[in-house]
Amino acid sequence: MIRIYGIKEKLNPIKAELSDIINQCMVEALSFPDNKRAHRFIPLDSDNYYYPEGRTDAYTVLEISLMSGRSVEAKKTLIHLLFKEIESNLGISPIDIEITIFESPASNWGFRGVTGDEAKLNYAVNV
């Protein structure tokens, strides 16, 4: 699951395109299936969204939750690809993008009525 935070006036108009970009990067960097999109957009009022000095109101936060198993190289590839594609397609500078990957063991995930370590996935986690 991916949570995306931003100021609503900036985030709402780009949601669909940003979701496409994120999905494309997940497919390319982590070999995710194209139809595995689980994005949650959280548009905030500007008075509820404080961000570091030197950033603009385009400041966007991506929190990516994954099952453990991806290599450091794959995760770095994902981060660099997200910076590049978001900037080139949406014009948001990397200074205004924050990305955090949270990992949890497969046994800590529950979906489709089973835990992640019991699931029959149609994609590899160890990439």
Side-chain angles (χ1 to χ4, degrees):
M1 176 178 325
I2 302 173
R3 289 167 301 282
I4 303 104
Y5 301 86
I7 294 176
K8 68 181 178 184
E9 290 82 9
K10 294 289 186 176
L11 189 58
N12 284 336
I14 64 167
K15 278 194 249 186
E17 189 172 0
L18 182 53
S19 181
D20 288 344
I21 292 165
I22 293 168
N23 193 61
Q24 168 200 335
C25 292
M26 297 293 287
V27 168
E28 186 174 331
L30 302 183
S31 300
F32 263 48
D34 188 49
N35 64 349
K36 181 146 174 47
R37 191 180 309 217
H39 303 164
R40 307 296 180 261
F41 284 87
I42 303 157
L44 299 165
D45 291 326
S46 59
D47 61 346
N48 288 322
Y49 194 56
Y50 295 89
Y51 44 85
E53 185 177 329
R55 305 323 189 267
T56 72
D57 58 356
Y59 184 70
T60 306
V61 174
L62 284 72
E63 294 180 345
I64 303 169
S65 296
L66 297 173
M67 279 193 272
S68 299
R70 277 69 179 202
S71 68
V72 169
E73 294 79 21
K75 291 180 283 189
K76 287 178 125 182
T77 297
L78 174 61
I79 290 169
H80 291 294
L81 196 54
L82 285 164
F83 282 136
K84 176 181 169 263
E85 294 300 321
I86 292 170
E87 181 176 33
S88 64
N89 288 284
L90 295 173
I92 301 173
S93 170
I95 194 74
D96 278 326
I97 302 167
E98 180 179 314
I99 302 165
T100 306
I101 296 175
F102 298 96
E103 293 182 287
S104 184
S107 60
N108 289 1
W109 287 74
F111 51 89
R112 294 186 236 143
V114 297
T115 60
D117 58 340
E118 299 167 334
K120 305 283 188 253
L121 301 174
N122 62 349
Y123 60 94
V125 173
N126 296 312
V127 294

